Structures are given as C-alpha cells and as structure tokens.
Amino acid sequence: IALFRSEKYNERNTDPDSAASQMLLSGKRHASGMEFNFAGRITPAWEVFYNHTWIPDARIDVSSQTLAVNGTGAQVQGDRSALTPRHSASLWTTYRITPMWRVGSGLNYRGEQNPDGARTKVAAAFTTVDAMAEYTLNDANVLKFNVSNLTNKLYADSLYRGFYAPGAPRRLELSWKSMF
C-alpha cells in the first residue's frame, strides 16, 4: 500500500496579456491518492495479482486560464486535472492445470476521464479482458498464446480536445521463449 501526493509546477498557461498566443510557465496542479498491490498464491497452483490506484484529489491549483463566455475552454483553477481517472485497476490470475499447462486471465479497468480543454466531454469508464495459455515443453522452452482485449472492446485510450484514439483491438500473440 502506498500513499502519494504529486505536485507539478511551472505548467504552461496562456498569457492573459497577449493575444492568446504566448505561453507562461505559471500554473500548478497536484494529485493525491493511494495505490494497493497484492500478489500471492491461493494454492500452490493458483496465483493472483491485483493493483488498484485511487486518485480522489487531482486539482488545478494555479491557472491564468479563463472560460469562454459559453463555459467551454481549457481547465481553470479548481478543476479536476484532465486525463486523471479516480480509479484504475488490474486483476490477473493464473492456474497451473498440469506441470506443463498453465492458463490465465485478467481484467484491466480505467475510470471515466475528460480531455484537457474539453471540460464537457467525458470518456466512459471501461474494462478489457485478457487471456493466456502456456505450455512448458521443458525447463528451457515455453510456448505461450496471449489474447489481449478478448471481447474486442471499443474504448477511448488517448483523449484529445476534439477526438479520441481508440484502444488496441483484440490482439493474438503466439510466442516461444527459449533459455539456452
């Protein structure tokens, strides 16, 4: 378990005395929260890993930005920092079926968030599912099959003011690990 507080100084802000083309290094923001990590074995064959990050407090402390008349625009003092979900988590578990076969699956979660400069837009929270199967030929050779985003979930991964970049679609990977 970890508690954290991070502060960022000299954040870029538009110079209010110019034609909005000059930037000042005058802003400040902070984020405070907790991170929980648990890893272990439930049985000799069953492993579990869990990580959860909770950021209840992420604010713009100092900003020269102002809202447009219609209430839109960049983040202003007091706003929650953009691109900062309150919760993100991952859960992964594997189970050794036989000495040669191991299977596993995992969940990856990210809470809702909004892009900088688009205060009225919110990207929905999402969860993706991953899976794997592993076959150990001998002490030096392992064959592994991974499926990322098993359900082919469409989600907003990178957020920008006017658009988003979707997260990776379902991906299949077959790998061979050899230790000589």
Side-chain angles (χ1 to χ4, degrees):
I1 297 175
L3 296 171
F4 63 85
R5 179 174 174 91
S6 175
E7 294 183 356
K8 180 180 176 187
Y9 299 91
N10 297 323
E11 191 164 61
R12 285 184 293 158
N13 283 299
T14 303
D15 183 353
D17 295 329
S18 74
S21 61
Q22 296 287 88
M23 301 302 278
L24 298 174
L25 297 177
S26 61
K28 178 184 169 203
R29 69 173 62 197
H30 76 272
S32 302
M34 294 181 80
E35 185 173 341
F36 308 89
N37 291 290
F38 302 99
R41 288 193 168 104
I42 295 175
T43 70
W46 187 9
E47 298 177 325
V48 177
F49 171 79
Y50 176 71
N51 174 324
H52 184 141
T53 302
W54 175 52
I55 306 174
D57 183 30
R59 297 273 172 239
I60 305 294
D61 298 318
V62 177
S63 176
S64 62
Q65 305 290 342
T66 58
L67 291 178
V69 175
N70 65 1
T72 62
Q75 293 185 306
V76 297
Q77 189 167 317
D79 281 353
R80 180 170 180 85
S81 299
L83 305 174
T84 309
R86 290 186 190 282
H87 297 275
S88 57
S90 62
L91 172 66
W92 187 261
T93 185
T94 61
Y95 189 81
R96 185 161 300 281
I97 300 169
T98 69
M100 293 185 302
W101 282 100
R102 186 170 74 131
V103 295
S105 64
L107 301 171
N108 302 295
Y109 171 81
R110 187 184 314 158
E112 69 179 26
Q113 56 187 322
N114 70 299
D116 183 28
R119 59 191 305 108
T120 59
K121 306 271 192 261
V122 176
F126 65 87
T127 302
T128 59
V129 180
D130 298 336
M132 63 80 80
E134 180 181 88
Y135 181 76
T136 303
L137 284 78
N138 53 46
D139 290 341
N141 294 288
V142 177
L143 183 64
K144 189 184 284 189
F145 179 66
N146 287 300
V147 182
S148 300
N149 194 2
L150 181 69
T151 62
N152 206 25
K153 171 98 174 153
L154 177 62
Y155 61 94
D157 187 35
S158 299
L159 303 175
Y160 302 94
R161 291 178 189 196
F163 67 97
Y164 73 94
R170 180 184 304 122
R171 184 176 70 232
L172 309 174
E173 296 176 348
L174 182 62
S175 62
W176 180 289
K177 182 178 178 182
S178 183
M179 295 182 247
F180 290 103

